[in-house]
Each structure stands twice: as structure tokens, then as C-alpha cells.
Amino acid sequence: MITENELNLTLEDYDKAFTEVSFLLDMFVETITIFVGKSTPSLAVAAGRKMAVNLPVYLTDNSPEQVIQELVRVFSMQELELSGHFDGTEAAITINQCPIGSVCENRKMEIDGQTCQMFHYYIAGIVAELVGMPVRPRTVSTGEQCTFNLVFSGLKRR
């Protein structure tokens, strides 16, 4: 019988779990990269599109501005320090203390490497599904604070 529950976990238990999740994410990304190769961004976008269907979003319209607002709201509920604003035909997304960056540090992986890029394409896939048009990420900066832009295909400057 299991006698442990989440109320009895120690900091060491959380550290061990983080190390395990970091290892699994590292192996997952590496395996995808080996088997899918150059199509890896397409796979991340497809995963994001699939996730968008399951997100608890409420949109009165699917304008890029409202989608970005809703994305920030939903991810903030999950304790992800994400902010975003719209600038012309692009949305600037900023993540403070990115959990993917923490995984990269834990596994001694390159910041702005394949794992970061897959996460950016994943977010682009979510937004693309919600807005109904192709979206591509463009990394601006990485580190303690990660910033990337989402470029909307076919969007006219307002």
C-alpha cells in the first residue's frame, strides 16, 4: 500500500521528479529529432494545434489580438509567467523563468537549442489553431527571460 501523498512530499522528492521529467523531455526531443529530422517544427506545430482544441479558452472572435490575450490568460492560470502584446503583424511573447529553460539548464542542454525551438513551434501551433491562420515563431532572446515573436502569415498591418 502506498503511504505517500502530495501533502507529504519533501523538496528532495520534487527535485527528483524534476530531474526525471527533464531526462524524459531530453530523450523525447532527441528521439523526435532523430526520427523526424527536418520536419520536427511541423510536428511541434501539429502538437500545438491538437492542444489548442483542449484548452479552456473563450473567444468572441479569433482575432490575433484576442487570441494572444486569451493565451496569456490560460497560461497564467497554469503559473507560467507569460506575457504577450501585439505589434503590427507580430505578437511578442515573453516568458519569465521558462520551465523549458530550467530543463535545459538541468540537462546541460543548449538554451535556444532544439528543445526551446520545439516549444516555440508548439506555442505557434496553439495560436495558429485558435486564430485560423499560419503562425511561425521567431526567437528574439533566450535566457532567464525568453522572448519570441509570432509572425502571422497573410495578416495586414493595421
Side-chain angles (χ1 to χ4, degrees), residues 1 14 22 43 60 64 74 78 93 101 109 118 122 136 143 146:
M1 184 164 105
Y14 284 100
S22 296
L43 181 66
T60 55
V74 168
Q78 303 303 317
I93 306 294
M109 297 161 47
M118 281 189 71
Y122 174 74
R136 295 196 53 86
C146 176

Side-chain angles (χ1 to χ4, degrees), residues 59-73 84-91 93 127 130-131 133 152 155-158:
L59 298 169
T60 55
D61 69 75
N62 65 338
S63 69
E65 294 88 348
Q66 186 173 16
V67 167
I68 295 303
Q69 246 182 353
E70 192 66 4
L71 181 80
V72 168
R73 184 189 70 79
H85 68 274
F86 213 81
D87 186 19
T89 59
E90 298 183 5
I93 306 294
V127 172
L130 295 175
V131 83
M133 70 176 63
F152 295 79
L155 189 62
K156 305 265 190 274
R157 187 174 291 278
R158 295 174 189 205

Side-chain angles (χ1 to χ4, degrees), residues 97-154:
Q97 299 177 5
C98 179
I100 300 300
S102 297
V103 167
C104 290
E105 284 180 32
N106 181 270
R107 297 292 301 164
K108 309 237 183 316
M109 297 161 47
E110 176 187 3
I111 298 289
D112 195 28
Q114 191 67 38
T115 306
C116 293
Q117 293 304 312
M118 281 189 71
F119 184 61
H120 297 169
Y121 275 96
Y122 174 74
I123 298 292
I126 291 172
V127 172
E129 183 67 22
L130 295 175
V131 83
M133 70 176 63
V135 178
R136 295 196 53 86
R138 183 171 44 82
T139 302
V140 176
S141 65
T142 56
E144 188 69 25
Q145 184 180 69
C146 176
T147 302
F148 59 97
N149 288 356
L150 296 176
V151 181
F152 295 79
S153 297

